[in-house]
Amino acid sequence: MNELPLVIFTVLVQGAVGLFLCLGLVSILFPKTGEQAMNKAFVATMVMFGIGATAAIFHLGTPVRAFNVLNGVSHSSPLSLEIVALSLFGASAVAYTGMRLFNLQPALRKVLLPVAMVLGLVLVYAIAQVYTLSTVPTWDSGWTLFQFLMTAGVIGPVGAMTLLRWQSASAGHYQKMADRGLATFGLMMLVVAVTCFVGFVVYLGGLTLHSNPLAMMDYHSTLMLARVALMMVGVICAAVSATRGNHQVTGVAALCFLLVVVAEVMGRIFFYDIHISASAGM
Amino acid sequence: MTQLGFYVDTSKCTGCKTCQLSCKDDNQLPVGVNWRRVYEYGGGNWEENNDGTFSQDVFTYYASISCNHCARPACTKACPTGAMHKRPEDGLVLVDESVCVGCRYCEMACPYGAPQYSEEKKHMTKCDGCYDRLAQGLGPICVESCPLRALEFGPIEELRAKYGDRANVAPLPDPTLTHPSVVIGTCRHSRPSGDTTGAILNPTEV
């Protein structure tokens, strides 16, 4: 599938936005969490964002011309706007992380953090706009935005739990509360993601199309069952481990993080597979 | 601006694909890239009559489609580089091959399958209305090579005056999406856009 770089790009970038939002909330709600631990967690998030953003370049046939993608801002190409949103979030999030790391401008940082968090949500919206095409009925609905938001919503809390557990030695006693808070948030997102997934499937089933989007590939039913299972196992195991007070067990959280990322990659492969245009398969 | 466009007469086309091949030859297209594609659209089944006997209602017809040089192209709207553009003088939709990054977003957006990625060139390519031939006073190679005279090319308003204004014929999508500069001459089997009683029967060929 030629969209594999886009699968990696969208999942990792949306996941990184979710992580940034969760770490931002931890930083706002538990300001006494160990400074060094938070810094490392933010840096790791930016690394994930960087890998995701780099993956997108591999989808270009002629990557040396990559900067041409900004030309389309003049006619509001959704793809150009996505790259603008990517740059704005990237710049603000990296600036915030850098300022934390070198302990610069604490007052400005307090303003920059919520700005970067909002820009993260704008970025997820901008990515969804790229695929909300009137000529592609399977993508042309709010379910596209929903799926992308849920990627951030599920990967974010489990990722943030993992990073803070990894740094639990220097994170201080607030890390336990953050761990439980993130676990609760993750469970809430899981409930929304799985419940509304039913709505998305019913939406797909109700479309009048020349081919059945739910029978595009032989492996789709296995893929989607595995996806929902991995997502549930990942989030629930992380949450159970939090409620059992294992807020310093990095291995469990890391495994759960891996499961939800794989789950989202599977969900995104399905998303690109069901590209069905408004014609009868031209 | 005089918008140029195609007329495709599905009542004349026999699906011989001379247009597809002459285009491929003239434009040196590699395997897998077809600027013009002949879609075989068909369907049908056995129907039970009142007396218990069965008769079939199978149908098929051919639609030769390249790029419809739409009035509101989904590809140019999508294109992040501006490489995909409408030529001001005649409305032909062209790729500026020195600007295109090969992101394939136009391919996702176009419901007609017109923009096609070239593995050799590493960017998008598509039907250019044979503007080089037009400059020499010739017609597009597909139109001139059609042995059935099923294709015509010219100012779309003239073609519409002559043949009507139908583009809502399966397998084409609803024309209100992109306002294609194409007129489809219907045949007795023609089905409307959005039809689900038939299917493209030669998917690997197009």
Side-chain angles (χ1 to χ4, degrees):
Chain A
M1 92 184 280
N2 72 62
E3 295 95 347
L4 203 56
L6 296 180
V7 169
I8 295 166
F9 163 72
T10 55
V11 170
L12 291 191
V13 165
Q14 289 155 14
V17 167
L19 252 163
F20 189 87
L21 288 172
C22 288
L23 291 174
L25 286 175
V26 169
S27 176
I28 291 166
L29 298 174
F30 306 105
K32 289 187 179 138
T33 312
E35 197 63 21
Q36 208 192 344
M38 288 300 285
N39 289 352
K40 284 190 178 168
F42 271 109
V43 169
T45 302
M46 288 300 100
V47 169
M48 180 169 161
F49 175 80
I51 295 170
T54 311
I57 296 173
F58 287 92
H59 188 249
L60 300 181
T62 312
V64 289
R65 298 177 184 164
F67 283 105
N68 287 0
V69 297
L70 292 172
N71 299 350
V73 173
S74 59
H75 65 269
S76 312
S77 159
L79 190 66
S80 299
L81 297 178
E82 174 196 45
I83 302 305
V84 170
L86 185 81
S87 312
L88 289 176
F89 170 72
S92 56
V94 166
Y96 173 76
T97 307
M99 282 158 78
R100 272 196 83 108
L101 212 54
F102 300 105
N103 200 17
L104 304 169
Q105 305 275 357
L108 182 60
R109 247 159 48 196
K110 279 208 171 87
V111 184
L112 191 54
L113 177 61
V115 169
M117 288 166 74
V118 170
L119 286 173
L121 288 172
V122 170
L123 171 56
V124 176
Y125 176 77
I127 300 175
Q129 284 306 105
V130 170
Y131 298 100
T132 311
L133 293 165
S134 62
T135 49
V136 185
T138 42
W139 290 352
D140 188 26
S141 76
W143 291 116
T144 297
L145 176 62
F146 164 76
Q147 290 175 81
F148 293 0
L149 280 175
M150 285 303 113
T151 300
V154 173
I155 291 180
V158 182
M161 285 170 79
T162 309
L163 291 175
L164 293 179
R165 286 183 183 198
W166 167 52
Q167 288 299 317
S168 54
S170 64
H173 71 281
Y174 283 100
Q175 186 258 334
K176 185 176 182 179
M177 278 148 79
D179 195 66
R180 289 194 171 180
L182 288 166
T184 310
F185 182 58
L187 282 176
M188 285 158 62
M189 286 292 116
L190 177 71
V191 169
V192 176
V194 174
T195 308
C196 293
F197 181 67
V198 178
F200 170 57
V201 173
V202 170
Y203 165 78
L204 286 181
L207 291 170
T208 306
L209 300 166
H210 72 279
S211 54
N212 181 356
L214 301 174
M216 294 282 286
M217 305 277 177
D218 294 338
Y219 59 79
H220 272 173
S221 65
T222 318
L223 184 81
M224 294 320 280
L225 282 172
R227 184 230 168 186
V228 174
L230 290 181
M231 186 163 74
M232 300 211 334
V233 170
V235 178
I236 291 171
C237 286
V240 167
S241 136
T243 55
R244 290 168 63 92
N246 297 335
H247 63 281
Q248 293 181 318
V249 184
T250 314
V252 172
L255 183 64
C256 291
F257 175 65
L258 191 68
L259 293 183
V260 291
V261 170
V262 171
E264 286 315 285
V265 166
M266 290 170 137
R268 200 53 44 82
I269 289 173
F270 175 75
F271 175 82
Y272 283 104
D273 276 348
I274 60 163
H275 171 274
I276 297 178
S277 95
S279 68
M282 298 174 82
Chain B
M1 180 191 84
T2 311
Q3 171 72 53
L4 297 176
F6 288 102
Y7 169 65
V8 181
D9 191 341
T10 61
S11 70
K12 285 183 180 167
C13 181
T14 61
C16 75
K17 301 176 187 71
T18 304
C19 52
Q20 188 173 319
L21 276 181
S22 63
C23 169
K24 199 160 177 121
D25 180 44
D26 197 50
N27 293 297
Q28 308 268 333
L29 304 182
V31 173
V33 176
N34 296 309
W35 289 357
R36 183 167 280 282
R37 302 156 307 282
V38 179
Y39 296 91
E40 182 179 350
Y41 191 79
N45 216 327
W46 289 102
E47 297 292 330
E48 189 173 0
N49 301 317
N50 290 334
D51 61 1
T53 58
F54 286 79
S55 42
Q56 51 84 6
D57 64 348
V58 293
F59 70 94
T60 188
Y61 58 91
Y62 298 91
S64 169
I65 299 296
S66 58
C67 168
N68 301 318
H69 304 284
C70 302
R72 288 186 214 157
C75 59
T76 58
K77 169 84 180 99
C79 180
T81 65
M84 192 68 83
H85 64 286
K86 249 180 118 56
R87 206 155 78 139
E89 60 266 39
D90 51 20
L92 291 178
V93 176
L94 307 174
V95 193
D96 184 337
E97 299 197 0
S98 66
V99 174
C100 176
V101 294
C103 73
R104 308 182 71 155
Y105 186 36
C106 52
E107 185 186 21
M108 281 182 183
C110 173
Y112 297 99
Q116 298 191 10
Y117 182 72
S118 166
E119 281 294 343
E120 280 172 19
K121 296 182 166 179
K122 302 291 178 196
H123 56 63
M124 301 309 294
T125 64
K126 68 181 287 301
C127 161
D128 57 10
C130 283
Y131 67 85
D132 52 334
R133 291 174 56 90
L134 299 181
Q136 299 166 39
L138 301 166
I141 194 93
C142 52
V143 173
E144 299 213 335
S145 66
C146 177
L148 282 304
R149 300 288 180 264
L151 296 174
E152 272 183 57
F153 183 78
I156 194 66
E157 286 315 320
E158 285 178 23
L159 294 173
R160 282 179 181 145
K162 214 160 137 190
Y163 299 112
D165 190 10
R166 284 205 67 179
N168 57 340
V169 176
L172 279 67
D174 178 355
T176 59
L177 288 169
T178 63
H179 297 262
S181 305
V182 69
V183 175
I184 305 291
T186 54
C187 61
R188 67 195 178 99
H189 290 312
S190 293
R191 296 291 195 273
S193 294
D195 170 65
T196 51
T197 63
I200 291 173
L201 302 177
N202 59 340
T204 54
E205 221 170 24
V206 293

